[in-house]
Amino acid sequence: MKVKRMKHHRKYVRFYTTCFGFREPYKVFCDGTFIHHLVTNQITDFSQAISNILGKPAKLFTTRCVIAELHSLGESFSKSFEEARNLSLARCDHEKRKGAATCIADVIGEKNSEHFFVATQDNELRTKFREIPGVPLIFGLRKSLILEPPSTSQREFVKSSEEQRLHMTEMEKTLLKRGISKIATEDGDPTYDAHEASGNEVVPDAFISVPRKTDGPQFKRNKPKGPNPLSCKKKKVAEKPSVALNKDGDSAKRNRKRKRSRRGTKSEGADA
């Protein structure tokens, strides 16, 4: 069951990284209820426990408003208060202390531009963030942590945004019409009316096509080179040594007789 849950968590993380641009190390915003849940269930290493469910290193954040709220709850939340002080602080522009739920909603905003994972045990807060696209939610269940699957509203937002990318905008349509009309005027098409392209739209310079110059070559091409002339030289044939001829026309090598040593013959005659 644990392996199956980890596969689901990897799938959800891949969804947010692909569709909303989440990057590691992942930033996790922890509220007071989540920190207190970790303390009561004796989960000491917060960052390691969250990194295990995300599959990548994570960095935990909180705000001054959350820390102040934990401090105001008394001695029963003193350990949670000490643990919250060890976390990194997210930017909170509240001059006066506000409630933790209000502070978290202000930090996340309407688009979650900072790409925070929100870790909370507050059901109302999780229900609110399910309607905001690109806000993954984490909560604790006893000693295990769970990453919620993307909500239906988040999936519909991704689907609608993909469909919008497939269709052309009005600006792109006007630029396309102007490009076609400009090509028609250069080719001398008599059916083109110059007043059709006139309008009040301001076209950026980056989208205006500049005609290329046709006078002369645009760039110098490397022509194929011939073979190396040194490699094309014929190999020299070694001349055979000339053979000297005698008076009869035979070679001297054939008439040359082998000299035999007479030492053996003398010794044999002496013995006889």
Side-chain angles (χ1 to χ4, degrees):
M1 187 67 181
K2 186 177 181 181
V3 176
K4 189 175 181 180
R5 184 185 298 171
M6 294 297 291
K7 288 183 179 179
H8 288 309
H9 289 171
R10 300 290 187 274
K11 183 179 178 181
Y12 303 153
V13 172
R14 200 180 307 117
F15 171 82
Y16 288 107
T17 54
T18 304
C19 300
F20 296 99
F22 282 68
R23 295 291 180 268
E24 56 180 287
Y26 298 124
K27 296 188 290 185
V28 182
F29 191 99
C30 303
D31 70 341
T33 59
F34 184 76
I35 296 171
H36 185 66
H37 174 81
L38 296 178
V39 171
T40 53
N41 287 276
Q42 299 178 356
I43 301 175
T44 55
D45 195 351
F46 295 176
S47 61
Q48 185 61 37
I50 295 176
S51 298
N52 290 337
I53 66 170
L54 298 180
K56 299 291 181 180
K59 190 175 182 180
L60 308 187
F61 290 85
T62 190
T63 58
R64 295 177 181 177
C65 296
V66 174
I67 295 173
E69 187 178 64
L70 288 173
H71 182 65
S72 63
L73 294 176
E75 294 182 359
S76 58
F77 289 83
S78 60
K79 292 184 179 180
S80 302
F81 168 71
E82 294 296 333
E83 293 291 342
R85 291 178 62 184
N86 296 330
L87 303 183
S88 301
L89 290 177
R91 185 175 179 180
C92 177
D93 297 331
H94 301 141
E95 296 180 358
K96 295 182 180 180
R97 183 174 68 86
K98 290 188 176 182
T102 306
C103 180
I104 295 170
D106 292 342
V107 171
I108 299 300
E110 297 180 355
K111 297 182 180 180
N112 192 15
S113 59
E114 295 294 330
H115 299 107
F116 279 115
F117 285 78
V118 178
T120 180
Q121 298 295 112
D122 192 347
N123 292 327
E124 294 182 359
L125 199 60
R126 293 210 307 267
T127 304
K128 180 180 179 180
F129 284 144
R130 288 191 191 105
E131 302 299 325
I132 300 175
V135 182
L137 299 172
I138 300 172
F139 66 95
L141 186 63
R142 295 180 182 177
K143 289 191 175 184
S144 60
L145 303 180
I146 297 173
L147 175 64
E148 283 193 5
S151 61
T152 54
S153 61
Q154 292 179 353
R155 293 184 183 274
E156 290 176 358
F157 175 81
V158 172
K159 188 176 180 180
S160 62
S161 62
E162 288 179 355
E163 290 178 354
Q164 289 178 1
R165 293 194 201 102
L166 296 176
H167 298 289
M168 296 176 62
T169 60
E170 294 296 331
M171 188 66 177
E172 291 174 346
K173 289 179 181 179
T174 54
L175 293 174
L176 182 61
K177 289 180 181 179
R178 292 191 177 190
I180 294 172
S181 61
K182 193 169 186 179
I183 294 171
T185 52
E186 291 176 357
D187 295 340
D189 189 358
T191 60
Y192 166 71
D193 187 4
H195 296 285
E196 291 181 359
S198 62
N200 297 326
E201 297 89 351
V202 179
V203 181
D205 295 337
F207 293 98
I208 299 175
S209 60
V210 179
R212 295 183 177 179
K213 295 181 180 180
T214 56
D215 299 336
Q218 296 294 324
F219 57 91
K220 186 178 179 181
R221 295 184 179 180
N222 294 327
K223 296 181 180 180
K225 298 180 180 179
N228 189 358
L230 297 177
S231 63
C232 296
K233 284 186 175 182
K234 295 182 179 180
K235 295 183 179 180
K236 294 182 178 180
V237 180
E239 296 179 355
K240 295 182 179 180
S242 60
V243 180
L245 299 177
N246 55 10
K247 295 180 179 179
D248 297 336
D250 296 333
S251 61
K253 187 176 181 181
R254 292 178 182 177
N255 296 330
R256 188 184 301 168
K257 293 182 180 181
R258 181 180 177 186
K259 293 182 180 181
R260 296 180 180 179
S261 62
R262 297 182 179 180
R263 293 178 183 178
T265 55
K266 287 182 180 182
S267 60
E268 289 177 0
D271 295 336

